[in-house]
Amino acid sequence: MRVQKLTFAALAVVAGLALTACQNGDEDMGQSAPSSASTASSTSGGSGSGSSGQDGGKDSGGKDSGGKGSGGQGTTAGTGSSENGKVGKCRTDELEITAIDSTIDGDTDGTVAVELKNGGGRDCVLSGYAGVDLKTSSGSLSAKRTGEKATPMTLKDGKSMYFGINYPINTSGGSGVRITGLVVTPPDETKSVTLHWPGADTLPVTDGSGSQVKVGPMGSAGQGG
């Protein structure tokens, strides 16, 4: 009987140990599950936030904000439309420039009328004064503006506009200053044309107090004077 009691006691101890081991195992598994779930949640949350941030950055800073698309193209289109709505200035290469003597008998001063004919195939604008220089035996002589009001004028294709040059006639009886050529530069241009001087051959000698040749604005002379 004592042997059986010892056997039962031993079995009871073994069963108790086995039950304790099972409970410890369950407790260990229960702690590890939240840890894994927390890690997965943290990883998923971080990845989601980063992806959303990058997508948002592209949409707002790249495609949606579209500085180049709206600002750049809009400005270019506006500028082009504005330029197309304006009549451009007349260029030297578009103009046929000639000069004729238009002095009227009895005048104390001589007059040369300069014609600018538009042959550029488009309307253009002439505004202000042309540059006028006389080539002389004493060097270049620049004409002085008369001071008349200059109004911008549209010159139709194929049409002409005139301005006048006034100069003193040499009545001194001396040889005076010989004129060898006329240089005309259209308003707002830098390219000039050199013409034959159609007026009197000489200018009177002056004391150097200022230019004795005067130039009027665009439209200051009519056809032939």
Side-chain angles (χ1 to χ4, degrees):
M1 292 294 292
R2 186 176 181 181
V3 173
Q4 291 179 349
K5 289 180 179 180
L6 291 174
T7 301
F8 288 140
L11 291 174
V13 171
V14 171
L17 292 174
L19 180 60
T20 300
C22 289
Q23 290 177 350
N24 289 339
D26 290 341
E27 288 177 359
D28 291 341
M29 291 179 64
Q31 291 175 354
S32 62
S35 176
S36 299
S38 176
T39 302
S41 175
S42 175
T43 302
S44 175
S47 175
S49 174
S51 174
S52 175
Q54 292 173 355
D55 291 343
K58 289 180 180 179
D59 291 341
S60 61
K63 296 179 181 179
D64 290 349
S65 62
K68 293 182 179 179
S70 59
Q73 293 179 359
T75 301
T76 301
T79 301
S81 177
S82 176
E83 289 179 351
N84 291 336
K86 294 181 179 179
V87 179
K89 67 180 181 180
C90 298
R91 301 288 186 181
T92 302
D93 290 339
E94 296 175 318
L95 299 171
E96 181 183 345
I97 304 175
T98 56
I100 60 171
D101 182 13
S102 60
T103 302
I104 298 176
D105 290 341
D107 284 353
T108 56
D109 289 337
T111 302
V112 167
V114 178
E115 177 186 5
L116 296 87
K117 184 176 182 179
N118 183 2
R122 66 179 181 95
D123 295 349
C124 61
V125 172
L126 282 173
S127 177
Y129 288 77
V132 171
D133 297 282
L134 299 185
K135 291 183 176 182
T136 76
S137 56
S138 299
S140 179
L141 174 64
S142 296
K144 184 178 180 180
R145 296 178 179 182
T146 60
E148 298 174 63
K149 183 178 179 181
T151 303
M153 298 181 178
T154 298
L155 181 58
K156 299 290 186 180
D157 182 38
K159 299 298 182 180
S160 296
M161 191 175 296
Y162 300 81
F163 69 87
I165 302 172
N166 293 100
Y167 63 95
I169 296 175
N170 182 17
T171 58
S172 65
S175 60
V177 178
R178 187 166 57 87
I179 304 173
T180 59
L182 169 64
V183 180
V184 176
T185 307
D188 300 320
E189 280 287 271
T190 56
K191 186 175 182 179
S192 304
V193 294
T194 300
L195 308 173
H196 167 72
W197 173 252
D201 292 336
T202 63
L203 296 173
V205 177
T206 64
D207 57 5
S209 59
S211 177
Q212 53 188 330
V213 181
K214 309 292 183 183
V215 56
M218 291 293 116
S220 62
Q223 184 174 1

